[in-house]
Amino acid sequence: MSSFRARKSGIHTLNSSISSPSILKKCGQQSLNNVPGRKVCFDLFNNLKLLLINYDSSNKDDQIEYNNLICDIRDLATEINDNELIKLLKDARNCVNILNENLTLFVKVILILKWMNRSDDVVKEYRLFLLNVCTAYSYHTQFAIEQLVACFSHVDSNVYDRVNGMPSQEEERGFKNVHVTLEALLKVIPLAKDLLISALKKKFPYKTNTSYSHLHYIHNLLYISEYEPSLRKNILGLIINKLVEIDVHIPKDALDRLESNINIETEDIFPMDVDDGGCMKVCPNKIEEENFSDTLDISLKRIFIYMKTTCHSPDGILLWDNTKSLYHDLLSIFESEILPTYNSSHIQYVIYYFLSFKTTLAENFSNWLLKKCCDVSSSSTLRQAAAGYLASFLCRAPFITNNLLKNTLFEMSMWCNNYINSVDKSVKVVDEELLRWHSVFYSMCQALFYIISFRHQDLMDNKRNLRFMENLSLSNIVTCRLSPLRLCCSKVVDRFALITKTYQLTYCYVAMDGHIRVTDQSIKDEWLYSYFPFDPYVLPR
């Protein structure tokens, strides 16, 4: 057996170091060992079991000896070769029957050893120790799972040949070792799934971490969902939740710079950014902005790949059962994480891309949004958000059929007309109070105006379609006392007025000019949801 010399130690308080896991962390160039210059030989671990059996936390000499053992393992973990590490792990496994709460620090220092990219024999011994100690004493399971999960964001700084940021072959080997261990632990302790979800949240990289650490972590979380499908919804929800945080921190001007670098067809498209008041302020740190954009970009691409491979066979055939199952998970996550988020830039394209797999999915999603708009049990904010999503989706998605478009327009116009019939006679004055009390109505009208303006070429390309448009009772909507033309977003209204005049559907300008329009942007920002989320996708990947 080879031996190593421990680094010299500073003086520290034994009681605090033993009771706190901070002893597991290295302190610069100093070790926490109590014996300066002490030579550490791993042959000492031949008596490991005897030391642990005789350990008395109330005895000062035992404390010193136990504390030195912990620090020796901690400080020399990266220097020890595979054979010595295997011996240490075997000796530790032979002590499992005595590793109660009194010896928690010893268990922890073994579990924090770097093992995932070691030899197969080291991996095997580490796995056996972890499984044995967790099945014998369940209170060690949480820390064990956290150490496994912490490996998922590992990025080898020596790797320079990554393909799209994905882990290298050697990194994948290490991740695979962790997954095999984690899967085995979940099989022997099924209740550990709750601990796993908690650990996945706790160890998720902070939003300012590198894009590669985020990608590796998300890559591994998606892999967990393959062998633990019952956790897929929770895992996807966690990933989306964290990416939403990053998405909303990307300043608008950073997105504008990205958009200027791509070629976007703009013919006959009025500005999508209808309200400037909701834009994020410019982040002073351009490097941080770029890091957020890169993280979102590289992470979304990985999610798109996951959805594609989950729902399709290697031959490209849609697997309908898999697709339906994933749709229900994504719809639930969309409702809880994406729909309530105002002014996100790209995270919503997770659901958009998925819906492109089959027309039935797009139809189902559109119907769901319409029901959400009309659901009086939901908050007005969510109902307005649903109207914005519905309008933007129907306008932007090329896989939307004309039948779906017309059916949805008909339902929206019916809802607006029914609403007018129920409340219009009670309206006396057109002012900002109307926005407060009838905000959902104005969002629905705004969505209706927006769709007609954007898709007018498809909606009025022949006489049959023109007759359909004439039956929407648009004149009743634009001339009602609620005055949507004077309260909805001016850019949408101006475009709608021009289109309907061109096709002689209704004449809006009299209603627009009959009274002073509410133009105070702060009032509209507060009460009217003017956000159409499917702007051009500008992330470069």
Side-chain angles (χ1 to χ4, degrees):
M1 284 287 182
S2 61
S3 62
F4 304 93
R5 182 173 297 276
R7 288 183 286 251
K8 292 187 178 180
S9 149
I11 298 174
H12 70 292
T13 303
L14 282 173
N15 290 336
S16 63
S17 66
I18 291 175
S19 61
S20 169
S22 62
I23 194 174
L24 301 179
K25 301 176 182 178
K26 293 187 179 182
C27 301
Q29 296 298 315
Q30 290 186 322
S31 166
L32 293 177
N33 290 43
N34 292 276
V35 184
R38 175 173 169 270
K39 190 171 184 177
V40 178
C41 177
F42 278 92
D43 282 338
L44 291 175
F45 299 144
N46 286 328
N47 299 317
L48 180 64
K49 191 167 187 176
L50 183 62
L51 186 155
L52 296 177
I53 288 175
N54 295 329
Y55 170 60
D56 180 1
S57 59
S58 63
N59 184 290
K60 187 174 181 179
D61 290 337
D62 284 357
Q63 284 183 350
I64 292 174
E65 191 171 11
Y66 177 69
N67 193 45
N68 281 331
L69 172 68
I70 300 300
C71 294
D72 290 341
I73 298 173
R74 180 206 65 193
D75 291 346
L76 300 173
T78 57
E79 302 175 37
I80 185 173
N81 64 41
D82 284 0
N83 290 332
E84 291 171 330
L85 184 54
I86 290 170
K87 182 181 185 307
L88 172 60
L89 290 168
K90 283 183 176 180
D91 290 345
R93 187 154 57 88
N94 289 333
C95 301
V96 162
N97 62 322
I98 60 170
L99 297 181
N100 53 32
E101 288 180 286
N102 198 37
L103 297 172
T104 294
L105 266 183
F106 174 76
V107 174
K108 287 185 174 182
V109 81
I110 297 296
L111 291 176
I112 66 172
L113 291 170
K114 302 301 180 184
W115 63 281
M116 57 187 274
N117 286 107
R118 293 270 197 163
S119 69
D120 291 343
D121 289 335
V122 170
V123 171
K124 177 183 176 183
E125 286 300 328
Y126 180 92
R127 184 178 298 138
L128 287 172
F129 172 78
L130 183 145
L131 294 175
N132 288 354
V133 77
C134 289
T135 50
Y137 306 98
S138 60
Y139 44 78
H140 293 311
T141 306
Q142 180 176 354
F143 186 81
I145 288 179
E146 288 180 359
Q147 295 313 298
L148 294 177
V149 169
C151 297
F152 291 150
S153 58
H154 170 71
V155 178
D156 188 346
S157 59
N158 296 318
V159 177
Y160 301 101
D161 56 346
R162 301 185 188 280
V163 178
N164 294 321
M166 293 294 287
S168 65
Q169 186 174 356
E170 182 60 19
E171 286 171 324
E172 282 283 29
R173 174 183 169 271
F175 292 145
K176 179 66 174 177
N177 289 333
V178 178
H179 284 295
V180 171
T181 305
L182 180 59
E183 185 178 7
L185 180 60
L186 294 177
K187 284 182 178 179
V188 297
I189 309 179
L191 294 179
K193 291 179 182 180
D194 291 337
L195 296 177
L196 173 58
I197 292 298
S198 176
L200 293 178
K201 294 177 181 177
K202 181 178 180 179
K203 297 297 182 179
F204 206 103
Y206 189 63
K207 60 177 177 285
T208 55
N209 285 20
T210 67
S211 58
Y212 287 161
S213 64
H214 277 90
L215 175 62
H216 288 193
Y217 197 80
I218 291 172
H219 171 70
N220 283 295
L221 262 58
L222 293 175
Y223 189 81
I224 292 175
S225 68
E226 294 183 13
Y227 57 83
E228 283 298 337
S230 64
L231 300 181
R232 183 178 68 183
K233 182 178 175 181
N234 289 332
I235 288 173
L236 288 174
L238 172 62
I239 293 172
I240 298 301
N241 174 273
K242 295 299 183 180
L243 292 183
V244 164
E245 292 182 16
I246 295 173
D247 193 359
V248 297
H249 276 83
I250 303 176
K252 186 67 170 62
D253 72 322
L255 296 173
D256 290 340
R257 288 196 298 272
L258 288 173
E259 185 170 354
S260 66
N261 294 328
I262 66 173
N263 181 26
I264 299 174
E265 293 289 338
T266 57
E267 183 181 357
D268 202 35
I269 297 178
F270 58 97
M272 294 291 288
D273 182 21
V274 293
D275 281 329
D276 298 332
C279 298
M280 298 289 292
K281 292 181 179 179
V282 177
C283 179
N285 190 336
K286 294 292 178 64
I287 296 178
E288 187 174 88
E289 292 176 14
E290 293 172 359
N291 183 51
F292 286 159
S293 297
D294 193 46
T295 298
L296 187 62
D297 191 8
I298 204 169
S299 300
L300 285 179
K301 182 170 184 178
R302 180 64 185 88
I303 296 173
F304 294 153
I305 293 172
Y306 168 79
M307 293 191 296
K308 182 75 171 179
T309 54
T310 299
C311 299
H312 295 81
S313 68
D315 298 331
I317 299 173
L318 186 70
L319 306 174
W320 185 233
D321 288 340
N322 291 1
T323 304
K324 284 193 296 184
S325 175
L326 184 55
Y327 171 73
H328 292 302
D329 288 346
L330 288 176
L331 186 62
S332 176
I333 294 166
F334 172 82
E335 183 176 16
S336 62
E337 304 293 342
I338 300 177
L339 185 63
T341 303
Y342 182 78
N343 222 21
S344 59
S345 62
H346 289 86
I347 191 64
Q348 55 268 21
Y349 273 93
V350 169
I351 190 78
Y352 179 99
Y353 174 71
F354 176 81
L355 297 171
S356 70
F357 293 165
K358 192 175 179 63
T359 303
T360 305
L361 298 172
E363 292 175 352
N364 194 294
F365 181 67
S366 299
N367 292 333
W368 182 88
L369 286 173
L370 185 59
K371 288 180 181 178
K372 178 64 71 174
C373 294
C374 305
D375 183 7
V376 294
S377 65
S378 295
S379 69
S380 62
T381 302
L382 287 182
R383 294 173 68 188
Q384 290 186 78
Y389 266 94
L390 180 59
S392 191
F393 182 63
L394 293 177
C395 291
R396 286 293 187 179
F399 43 86
I400 293 295
T401 64
N402 258 25
N403 282 338
L404 175 59
L405 181 63
K406 291 166 65 176
N407 289 340
T408 307
L409 274 180
F410 180 77
E411 293 292 336
M412 293 173 71
S413 67
M414 284 287 292
W415 185 92
C416 291
N417 279 294
N418 289 336
Y419 191 93
I420 291 168
N421 293 336
S422 65
V423 304
D424 195 44
K425 292 181 180 179
S426 64
V427 176
K428 303 298 182 184
V429 181
V430 178
D431 57 15
E432 59 269 19
E433 282 297 305
L434 288 180
L435 275 176
R436 179 180 180 183
W437 296 109
H438 306 289
S439 56
V440 174
F441 168 76
Y442 290 112
S443 288
M444 285 288 278
C445 288
Q446 186 170 262
L448 184 68
F449 300 158
Y450 186 85
I451 295 169
I452 292 172
S453 302
F454 204 103
R455 296 294 298 268
H456 66 92
Q457 291 181 336
D458 298 315
L459 291 168
M460 292 170 266
D461 58 346
N462 57 54
K463 290 183 178 180
R464 182 178 180 183
N465 283 341
L466 277 172
R467 283 197 298 271
F468 165 78
M469 295 299 298
E470 290 169 354
N471 291 330
L472 295 182
S473 301
L474 295 177
S475 294
N476 185 51
I477 296 173
V478 301
T479 60
C480 70
R481 293 184 182 182
L482 287 164
S483 302
L485 294 177
R486 295 200 293 275
L487 291 169
C488 292
C489 174
S490 57
K491 290 183 180 179
V492 175
V493 168
D494 291 342
R495 182 68 173 178
F496 174 76
L498 177 61
I499 294 297
T500 51
K501 178 186 176 183
T502 301
Y503 290 97
Q504 298 181 350
L505 290 174
T506 187
Y507 190 76
C508 300
Y509 294 104
V510 173
M512 291 165 64
D513 298 334
H515 297 278
I516 297 174
R517 295 172 67 183
V518 176
T519 58
D520 189 333
Q521 192 59 53
S522 63
I523 295 174
K524 289 187 178 182
D525 286 343
E526 183 176 2
W527 298 113
L528 184 62
Y529 194 99
S530 296
Y531 166 54
F532 301 100
F534 295 115
D535 280 3
Y537 192 99
V538 299
L539 297 177
R541 287 187 177 84

